[in-house]
Amino acid sequence: MSSVRPARVPTAARKTPPSGPGSLTATQRRLGRDWRLAALFLAPMAVLVGGLVLVPIARSIITSTTERHGQESVFVGADNYLALIGDDQFHTGVVNSFVFTAYAEIFKVVLGLAAALLLHHRRRGRAVLAGLLLVPWVVPTVVTAFSWRALLDPIFGSVNTLLTSTGIGPLLVDLHLVDSWPAGWLSDPELAMPSVILVNVWKGVPFFTVCFLAGLKAIPTDLYEAATIDGASSWQRFANVTLPGLRHVITVTVTLSSIWTFNNFDLVWLLTQGGPGDVTAPYVLVAYSKAILQLQYGAGAAVTLVMLPVIGGLVFVLVRLLRQDSGARLPRARRAARWVGTRWAPTARRALPWVITAVVTGLLFWASPQIFWKAAVVLGVILLVAAAVGRVVSALNSRGGRRSSSVVSGLGSWVALAGLLFFVLGPLYWIAVTAFKSEGQVVMRTDDLWPTPWTMEQFSALFANQPFGRWYLNTILVSAASTAVALVCAALAGYALARLRFRGAQGFTVTVLLTYVMPGALLFIPLYQMLIGARLTDSLWSLVVTYPTFTLPFATWLLVGYFSSIPVELEEAALVDGCTRLQAFGRVVLPLAKPGLLAVALFTLTNAWNEFLFAFVFITKDEYKTLPVGMQSMIAGDVVPQGQLAAASLLVSIPVVIMYALGQRFLTEGLTAGAVKG
């Protein structure tokens, strides 16, 4: 290892040219100073990414040119792609994906920014409130879908009951927001898509809140002080300081969330299975239907590959943003305000957001006019209320009523927080109390908000009637194994990309990012074919092998940012004291990176714990099912064991909530130093 040298040589050492065995060889000059160690560290990552992502994508391209005839696959060229031109189901799926993503992102930005601002200005209880708001993002998607399906039930659901008792339901009919009352939220073609969007917003707002909080903490307070001295109002400080300071964070967060939402399968499937009809079926569900249900792998692969340019465009924006941000040497407050088109003229750069907004607005009006004006009314009410409170506070301040303005501002903040917490925690409270009801209370809907008496009947029935214990054990084994693989491989690859000097580092980093945002919809068809060929379907190994496709790239990406935030001088000091690069990595870097490693373990474990699509496609036998798929199989047609599902949801969610409660600090630190910071 005498030829391996530090990534950055101290100044004192650079004064004299290196000589002897430490000098660079011809191979090192061609491949990079640290190419041998980089090859060693990157080998596990390269094997997994190549075998589980790049090879399946290549295989998917080949599969899309074939058509299944009996047991044989026949080459048909571009016929599968040409058939999509006249495929109404595909057209509907594409429009549904666009509508679902656009509306969900708009409301997640508005509500996430509002929640972040409310929490950022709180002096007491901010950590507790942030932890409570994070819960919907933490709980498994199957829990989210079950709770909202029950709450939105037209006859027995608590949403209709609450809106009827408060008089809001009939008012919605008068305003033509719903056609009739009680409303069939998930069964009415006019309301099904808005309802699915609502649930996605409920689950996604916490992620936006955490990211925006991290961004708000990075905005220097002296900018606000200077604006206040110059006489800027609250709105002017928000528009000229807060939004520019958050621009980078908002763009990265929205881009990432758009990729996830556009490729969402599990939430839509668990809520509506694409119904009624096809009004909520995204393109991912169309691909699943063609490939898995109809066994036309070529047609299903063509659906996913046709949509790849859309994902590619979003990935290009994301890569450009992150590369631009990481290469800048400006203060963070100025970097946060930069946009992807820094080389453009200032006028064009300022006009770009408005052009994008106008185009998206026009497309939304064309694609879903019945949803457009309803969303505009809801969004308008939210903004008008916020503007009215801000105007009152500003007016009181201008008249010298500082105490009155403080009271009004505090009261408005508390009312907004109370409404937000009710929206966030209401479904979770319903799950908790339903789990402790007797079957009679669940069926007869007695003691709806408080069980009388509390009973463990549903938990006993759950373990007696379902192989729930087996599902739980399967989930623990698969999650632990995939997390261990991701953590080891990501730590090695993240360190190599952050510290070592070798040719191709930038390209490998971009490849990692590309594989991170690759949709599961693009991979599940070729992976399913590969598992069938290897006879690994209906086994836990099929999940352990495939889960790194979505956990490993993210873990590596986050750790690259975290390793980069560790001062390189500490590592250089260890090298000067006689440590090898491996010893410096193990004794200096890894101990300092414990918060980042814990954040990665938390993310990967949670993603594996909640994963639905791969487990749903690859596993059919009860003894190998994981918790999300097992809970979904408990619903047989219209027979929904609400009490048992509530008990299962509680048992599934508690471990993840506890982990996030204990690791919340590491989560925020990891986002700040890694993914969000770039």
Side-chain angles (χ1 to χ4, degrees):
M1 298 297 294
S2 60
S3 62
V4 177
R5 302 191 59 201
R8 187 180 300 174
V9 183
T11 304
R14 289 199 300 264
K15 291 182 179 179
T16 58
S19 59
S23 59
L24 297 181
T25 64
T27 304
Q28 286 178 317
R29 286 193 294 270
R30 186 171 61 255
L31 300 180
R33 176 180 300 170
D34 305 313
W35 72 273
R36 290 182 178 177
L37 191 60
L40 177 65
F41 276 31
L42 292 175
M45 175 77 171
V47 170
L48 288 175
V49 169
L52 297 175
V53 178
L54 301 182
V55 171
I57 290 176
R59 180 163 183 169
S60 182
I61 295 173
I62 297 173
T63 300
S64 67
T65 62
T66 64
E67 185 176 284
R68 185 166 179 170
H69 292 170
Q71 298 296 324
E72 301 294 330
S73 293
V74 179
F75 178 77
V76 294
D79 287 358
N80 288 321
Y81 296 95
L82 296 175
L84 296 178
I85 298 176
D87 191 334
D88 292 336
Q89 186 185 23
F90 171 71
H91 298 164
T92 302
V94 173
V95 172
N96 287 343
S97 294
F98 168 72
V99 170
F100 176 57
T101 302
Y103 284 115
E105 297 311 306
I106 291 171
F107 280 96
K108 280 187 277 193
V109 169
V110 172
L111 295 179
L113 185 56
L117 290 171
L118 289 172
L119 293 177
H120 183 65
H121 293 296
R122 298 228 60 83
R123 296 181 179 179
R124 297 180 180 178
R126 180 166 59 186
V128 175
L129 291 172
L132 292 175
L133 291 177
L134 192 63
V135 173
W137 188 46
V138 171
V139 298
T141 303
V142 66
V143 175
T144 300
F146 157 69
S147 59
W148 278 100
R149 277 185 61 172
L151 290 170
L152 295 175
D153 187 274
I155 300 175
F156 302 107
S158 298
V159 170
N160 278 352
T161 302
L162 178 63
L163 295 180
T164 300
S165 60
T166 57
I168 297 177
L171 178 62
L172 295 177
V173 177
D174 295 336
L175 295 175
H176 302 288
L177 292 175
V178 298
D179 295 331
S180 60
W181 197 259
W185 299 101
L186 296 175
S187 57
D188 187 337
E190 298 292 329
L191 296 177
M193 180 60 82
S195 300
V196 174
I197 293 171
L198 170 69
V199 179
N200 182 266
V201 169
W202 179 83
K203 190 167 182 62
V205 162
F207 174 73
F208 279 68
T209 302
V210 171
C211 293
F212 293 165
L213 266 178
L216 287 171
K217 291 179 181 178
I219 300 177
T221 55
D222 57 349
L223 295 180
Y224 290 102
E225 294 172 356
T228 303
I229 293 173
D230 291 341
S233 64
S234 300
W235 168 252
Q236 289 171 329
R237 291 195 299 271
F238 173 76
N240 297 294
V241 179
T242 303
L243 282 183
L246 288 177
R247 183 171 297 170
H248 173 79
V249 176
I250 291 174
T251 306
V252 172
T253 305
V254 170
T255 305
L256 277 174
S257 180
S258 297
I259 294 170
W260 298 337
T261 306
F262 192 78
N263 294 288
N264 188 283
F265 172 85
D266 48 359
L267 184 64
V268 176
W269 176 267
L270 291 168
L271 281 171
T272 64
Q273 295 189 4
D278 290 327
V279 296
T280 62
Y283 89 96
V284 184
L285 199 147
V286 175
Y288 168 80
S289 175
K290 291 180 179 296
I292 306 301
L293 300 182
Q294 302 173 21
L295 296 179
Q296 291 296 334
Y297 300 127
V303 170
T304 60
L305 290 170
V306 163
M307 300 310 299
L308 191 57
V310 177
I311 305 300
L314 295 173
V315 171
F316 172 78
V317 173
L318 185 61
V319 171
R320 182 76 177 271
L321 281 167
L322 296 179
R323 182 184 298 175
Q324 178 185 15
D325 186 67
S326 62
R329 291 296 181 264
L330 301 174
R332 179 165 175 78
R334 291 179 61 192
R335 284 188 294 147
R338 295 178 66 184
W339 180 249
V340 66
T342 51
R343 297 179 182 175
W344 292 11
T347 303
R349 203 163 60 242
R350 287 194 296 268
L352 181 61
W354 296 104
V355 172
I356 295 175
T357 301
V359 171
V360 172
T361 302
L363 290 174
L364 284 175
F365 181 77
W366 167 79
S368 57
Q370 72 281 4
I371 300 178
F372 182 86
W373 72 270
K374 296 177 182 179
V377 168
V378 175
L379 192 61
V381 169
I382 295 174
L383 297 178
L384 284 175
V385 171
V389 173
R391 180 62 62 88
V392 171
V393 172
S394 298
L396 291 174
N397 273 328
S398 63
R399 296 177 182 178
R402 183 167 297 179
R403 175 174 292 184
S404 300
S405 66
S406 178
V407 170
V408 173
S409 178
L411 182 61
S413 297
W414 277 113
V415 171
L417 274 175
L420 192 62
L421 288 173
F422 177 79
F423 172 67
V424 166
L425 300 179
L428 303 176
Y429 173 80
W430 183 88
I431 289 176
V433 297
T434 303
F436 292 98
K437 294 177 183 178
S438 65
E439 190 63 26
Q441 294 178 54
V442 172
V443 174
M444 301 303 297
R445 293 187 55 80
T446 58
D447 305 309
D448 206 24
L449 298 179
W450 191 260
T452 306
W454 290 64
T455 176
M456 301 293 291
E457 175 184 331
Q458 302 298 340
F459 295 93
S460 301
L462 175 65
F463 284 94
N465 300 334
Q466 307 289 344
F468 187 78
R470 184 63 188 177
W471 298 340
Y472 217 104
L473 180 61
N474 292 341
T475 306
I476 292 174
L477 293 175
V478 171
S479 301
S482 60
T483 299
V485 171
L487 201 58
V488 172
C489 296
L492 296 174
Y495 176 80
L497 296 174
R499 283 285 196 262
L500 303 183
R501 293 184 178 182
F502 60 97
R503 186 177 297 276
Q506 185 66 33
F508 199 96
T509 303
V510 173
T511 302
V512 169
L513 181 59
L514 290 173
T515 56
Y516 166 47
V517 294
M518 279 299 169
L522 185 64
L523 300 176
F524 79 89
I525 296 175
L527 285 175
Y528 181 66
Q529 292 178 295
M530 291 170 61
L531 292 173
I532 290 178
R535 297 184 179 180
L536 286 178
T537 53
D538 280 324
S539 72
L540 296 183
W541 284 110
S542 65
L543 305 182
V544 173
V545 168
T546 56
Y547 277 9
T549 58
F550 59 86
T551 58
L552 183 55
F554 174 79
T556 304
W557 181 38
L558 193 149
L559 284 179
V560 168
Y562 202 91
F563 285 136
S564 299
S565 69
I566 297 175
V568 70
E569 290 77 12
L570 299 175
E571 196 175 349
E572 291 174 346
L575 294 172
V576 171
D577 289 340
C579 286
T580 65
R581 176 72 77 169
L582 283 174
Q583 290 173 331
F585 171 66
R587 296 178 182 179
V588 178
V589 178
L590 283 183
L592 293 175
K594 282 182 180 179
L597 294 173
L598 289 174
V600 165
L602 192 60
F603 269 109
T604 55
L605 185 63
T606 305
N607 286 335
W609 188 273
N610 298 343
E611 202 283 325
F612 179 81
L613 177 59
F614 286 0
F616 181 64
V617 173
F618 301 156
I619 304 295
T620 59
K621 296 181 180 179
D622 274 347
E623 60 265 31
Y624 299 119
K625 289 180 179 178
T626 56
L627 285 170
V629 180
M631 290 175 61
Q632 188 268 343
S633 67
M634 291 170 60
I635 302 174
D638 295 332
V639 179
V640 181
Q642 290 190 7
Q644 294 181 38
L645 280 171
S649 300
L650 203 60
L651 293 175
V652 171
S653 302
I654 286 176
V656 185
V657 172
I658 292 175
M659 286 188 296
Y660 268 85
L662 297 176
Q664 181 183 345
R665 177 171 61 88
F666 303 117
L667 171 64
T668 304
E669 187 175 348
L671 282 174
T672 305
V676 172
K677 183 177 179 181

